[in-house]
Amino acid sequence: MSRLASRFRLWPVIVAIAWSVLAQPGYAATSITNGAAFLDQTESLRTTDHPRFVQMLAQIHQEAPRLTSREQWHLRYLDAWETMFEGDYTKSEVMLHEVIDHSGDAGLAAKASALLLTNLAANRRYEEAFALANHVTTWLPAVKDPQVRFMLLMNLSQMLDIADQTDLAIKYAHMMEDAVPPGETLCRPRSLQAAALFNAKHLTSSSPELQQAIDTCVAAGQPILANTMWLVLSSLYLDENQPAKAMALLDRIMPSIRTNHYYPHMLSAQVQRAQAYAKLGDDSNARTAALAAVAMSGPNDINEWLKDDYEVLYQVEKRQGHLADALAAYEHYVIQDKGHLNDISARTLAYAATQQHLLVQKLETDSLSKQNSILRLQQALATKAVETSRLYIALLLVVLVSIVFWLFRLKRSQLRFKQLSCLDGLTGILNHQHFVSEAARALHLLEKKSGSACLISIDLDYFKQVNDTHGHAIGDAVLQHTVTICKQHLRTSDLFGRLGGEEFGILLVDCSSDQGTAIADRIRKAIEATPVDVDGSVVSFSASFGVACTDTSGYELQRLCREADAALYRAKRTGRNRVITDAEWAFDGSLEA
């Protein structure tokens, strides 16, 4: 089981900053004497006084026939913003494209493009968002409007942070600091810097960058962004095992969170409260807070807050001895964890695919340029003697070899990227998604030839204590050491993957139940007998194993996983550092199941 995560997520920072763009202090307008000025006033009220913004938007619509062409496109842009604010991303996207393609106003088109970046990212269309971000980058040198430039820099920083390109995200946030337009403050750029540092795990509760962002946003009268930074600080307190400080901070900022009624903040604060109670040993209040967070969410919601929340419920129910409730919470946790990992993979793949596409475009452009040079050379050589023609042929061959060489490098790069996307970055074995797909394929082939296989679920015992006591660097070394030990006992035909955190899975192909149990026990003994020695720090650890085999559980991967996880859960519950098979679970664990 992965450690109890308390990290506040990056997405509320991005969305909060995006919705607060151009949020200047509003002022009333009772009549429309100047359409352009009225539209500017309306735009300034979008997040500071949203009801007034909606009222003024309806008022200007009554005057729409009298507006100039540019004013009508400005109104169209504001309509797209409000449509997106209401959650209709598809309709808003169509309206934004109309502004970009047909308004004829470069500044308005740039603002619409910046808003479209947020639209695509919020709708998880990452590849399109990153492609647009690359396109927007080419506009920056020509943008003279300070407000538009500020918006473009902000959205570029956000997109790069989503793609885990945190160094570039921080660079664009610094550029924002140097390009703050009139009426703006340093709140947003400093919030983005803190968000990128947090995403890169370079923040602590005492980091000056975080405190500077908090102080700036409080002074600027930006409660949503200030609350975002406070919640980051609370999350860091939880990471640093200071639950009392986290609880005190949550109590202090909750009135502001309730007043602004920003859903991501409300959900995150509730989950953090549950985590703090759990760390303080108050299981009753932890369970109450966690269930309240579940009640706030939709039935089909998938996000990392709910993953953390269900992990709290699982730990609490397990400590209280409520095994059925613990198992139910664990199942929800697995669903949320898988969804979160899939979203991370989608962002990473989309960013990499966009970069590959740019590489291909550059290669095609270079190839066309070379081909044009060859044509001009052919025309010149047509008037020369045979000796000069031989030189032309030689040059042509050099160019063709160069093209083939670049195409070869591109193909090799693509193949390497495909390979890396299948592997876990830390351990080098299959990641969760590809382990599941390869295991399902292997079981399907085994079923056709009536072969047998065993699925082993492995979970390191008390791994959280290793991280808390020795640090994450030692924890990573323990994970890598475990993988090395397991590989020594596996065949090339066996599948080995990291399922998440300290959890691993092994599919032993053409293996009986007795053989699978014996292999699992050999690995268990090897892990127990081989401590990790890193820079003089010797860490002894053990692991628990659950084994499920096709001769008792069938060839369906989902059922094998359930049986192996159930056996692993029993191994954990009965003392850890042991191997339990699905047959033992079915015989002796039917009551708990």
Side-chain angles (χ1 to χ4, degrees):
M1 180 65 61
S2 61
R3 68 184 182 89
L4 181 62
S6 62
R7 181 182 172 206
F8 175 72
R9 309 305 164 202
L10 177 65
W11 186 247
V13 178
I14 292 177
V15 176
I17 296 172
W19 285 125
S20 62
V21 173
L22 291 177
Q24 307 299 331
Y27 46 93
T30 58
S31 62
I32 303 177
T33 57
N34 184 319
F38 189 89
L39 286 165
D40 289 339
Q41 294 173 20
T42 304
E43 185 172 351
S44 71
L45 294 170
R46 289 185 299 179
T47 57
T48 56
D49 190 352
H50 185 258
R52 179 62 177 156
F53 166 76
V54 173
Q55 179 185 356
M56 294 179 69
L57 200 61
Q59 184 179 357
I60 191 67
H61 266 287
Q62 297 175 2
E63 304 288 336
R66 293 168 35 190
L67 299 178
T68 65
S69 176
R70 189 197 180 284
E71 291 166 355
Q72 289 180 348
W73 281 115
H74 193 176
L75 177 58
R76 186 68 167 168
Y77 166 73
L78 296 180
D79 286 339
W81 189 97
E82 176 61 18
T83 302
M84 181 175 163
F85 185 85
E86 293 171 354
D88 193 341
Y89 295 104
T90 302
K91 183 178 179 182
S92 175
E93 180 186 352
V94 172
M95 299 166 72
L96 289 170
H97 275 298
E98 290 177 352
V99 175
I100 294 168
D101 297 335
H102 305 298
S103 68
D105 186 319
L108 195 58
K111 288 165 63 176
S113 298
L115 185 58
L116 183 58
L117 281 172
T118 301
N119 182 303
L120 294 172
N123 213 18
R124 296 186 178 182
R125 291 166 57 186
Y126 299 121
E127 188 166 350
E128 296 173 65
F130 295 141
L132 179 58
N134 286 329
H135 188 55
V136 165
T137 305
T138 63
W139 298 351
L140 278 174
V143 174
K144 304 303 180 184
D145 187 315
Q147 189 69 57
V148 173
R149 182 175 178 83
F150 191 73
M151 289 179 62
L152 292 176
L153 290 170
M154 182 196 71
N155 281 277
L156 287 170
S157 178
Q158 292 169 358
M159 291 300 101
L160 290 165
D161 206 357
I162 291 174
D164 290 328
Q165 305 298 310
T166 52
D167 289 341
L168 286 174
I170 292 172
K171 176 183 175 181
Y172 278 111
H174 280 306
M175 291 173 66
M176 288 176 66
E177 283 198 63
D178 298 331
V180 177
E184 270 290 349
T185 69
L186 292 173
C187 174
R188 271 177 283 279
R190 288 180 177 175
S191 297
L192 284 170
Q193 290 174 40
L197 290 169
F198 183 61
N199 191 31
K201 300 182 181 179
H202 293 331
L203 276 187
T204 67
S205 62
S206 58
S207 294
E209 296 88 351
L210 177 58
Q211 190 58 52
Q212 186 182 53
I214 291 173
D215 293 341
T216 303
C217 291
V218 170
Q222 290 282 358
I224 293 179
L225 290 179
N227 288 339
T228 299
M229 295 294 101
W230 285 123
L231 287 168
V232 168
L233 177 59
S234 173
S235 174
L236 291 170
Y237 282 149
L238 291 171
D239 281 343
E240 296 165 6
N241 204 26
Q242 301 184 70
K245 284 188 176 181
M247 186 68 75
L249 178 56
L250 289 170
D251 288 339
R252 181 158 58 88
I253 66 175
M254 276 310 296
S256 176
I257 290 176
R258 293 192 186 99
T259 298
N260 289 283
H261 206 69
Y262 183 46
Y263 171 75
H265 287 175
M266 297 175 68
L267 180 59
S268 176
Q270 192 65 35
V271 173
Q272 288 192 29
R273 188 175 292 276
Q275 292 172 319
Y277 277 128
K279 284 180 175 286
L280 290 169
D282 189 345
D283 285 351
S284 176
N285 279 324
R287 183 177 184 274
T288 299
L291 290 176
V294 171
M296 293 170 62
S297 306
N300 299 318
D301 285 0
I302 298 290
N303 57 62
E304 205 165 354
W305 294 307
L306 290 177
K307 178 176 76 73
D308 294 345
D309 198 56
Y310 280 118
E311 191 169 11
V312 171
L313 281 174
Y314 166 71
Q315 298 287 359
V316 169
E317 300 293 5
K318 185 174 69 172
R319 283 196 295 267
Q320 296 297 319
H322 304 151
L323 301 184
D325 290 338
L327 185 58
Y330 180 76
E331 290 176 350
H332 283 294
Y333 165 80
V334 170
I335 292 171
Q336 296 291 332
D337 187 49
K338 180 180 179 181
H340 169 64
L341 292 175
N342 287 342
D343 192 58
I344 291 176
S345 297
R347 294 201 303 265
T348 303
L349 290 172
Y351 183 78
T354 302
Q355 301 310 306
Q356 287 288 328
H357 181 67
L358 290 174
L359 178 61
V360 170
Q361 285 183 328
K362 184 178 184 301
L363 183 60
E364 290 175 347
T365 302
D366 292 344
S367 297
L368 288 173
S369 177
K370 291 175 182 178
Q371 290 173 8
N372 290 333
S373 298
I374 291 171
L375 289 174
R376 289 192 296 270
L377 183 61
Q378 284 177 325
Q379 293 172 356
L381 290 177
T383 61
K384 294 184 180 293
V386 175
E387 292 80 6
T388 311
S389 298
R390 292 175 181 171
L391 177 61
Y392 160 72
I393 293 172
L395 290 173
L396 178 61
L397 288 175
V398 169
V399 172
L400 291 175
V401 169
S402 176
I403 294 173
V404 171
F405 173 73
W406 278 105
L407 289 174
F408 171 75
R409 288 191 61 185
L410 174 63
K411 185 64 176 179
R412 186 173 63 179
S413 174
Q414 291 172 333
L415 291 174
R416 175 170 174 77
F417 168 71
K418 182 178 180 182
Q419 180 186 23
L420 291 175
S421 68
C422 299
L423 303 179
D424 175 65
L426 176 64
T427 60
I429 60 177
L430 293 176
N431 61 29
H432 183 279
Q433 179 180 358
H434 285 276
F435 176 80
V436 170
S437 61
E438 288 297 315
R441 184 181 62 82
L443 289 170
H444 181 67
L445 294 175
L446 281 172
E447 185 176 14
K448 287 184 176 180
K449 64 178 184 179
S450 299
S452 60
C454 290
L455 179 65
I456 303 176
S457 289
I458 306 173
D459 189 288
L460 300 187
D461 299 327
Y462 303 110
F463 184 74
K464 182 179 182 300
Q465 293 183 6
V466 174
N467 276 335
D468 291 345
T469 304
H470 302 281
H472 289 282
I474 300 295
D476 289 347
V478 168
L479 294 174
Q480 294 167 337
H481 185 64
T482 302
V483 169
T484 301
I485 293 174
C486 291
K487 285 183 175 179
Q488 294 171 355
H489 296 272
L490 300 179
R491 303 161 297 176
T492 56
S493 59
D494 298 327
L495 298 176
F496 186 25
R498 183 182 179 192
L499 304 183
E502 68 273 23
E503 299 177 27
F504 301 91
I506 299 174
L507 182 68
L508 301 174
V509 180
D510 293 323
C511 177
S512 66
S513 176
D514 291 339
Q515 291 172 330
T517 304
I519 291 172
D521 198 55
R522 285 200 295 272
I523 295 174
R524 182 194 64 79
K525 291 178 180 177
I527 291 174
E528 182 183 22
T530 314
V532 173
D533 187 352
V534 179
D535 297 331
S537 297
V538 179
V539 180
S540 299
F541 63 100
S542 63
S544 299
F545 294 72
V547 183
C549 300
T550 55
D551 54 0
T552 58
S553 301
Y555 294 91
E556 184 184 1
L557 178 60
Q558 191 173 16
R559 181 179 175 186
L560 275 172
C561 289
R562 285 199 306 268
E563 298 293 343
D565 285 345
L568 173 62
Y569 178 72
R570 182 170 176 80
K572 287 282 190 181
R573 192 172 61 83
T574 55
R576 295 180 169 81
N577 191 22
R578 61 193 63 210
V579 177
I580 298 294
T581 67
D582 55 346
E584 293 173 303
W585 169 259
F587 178 77
D588 195 30
S590 59
L591 179 60
E592 290 84 356

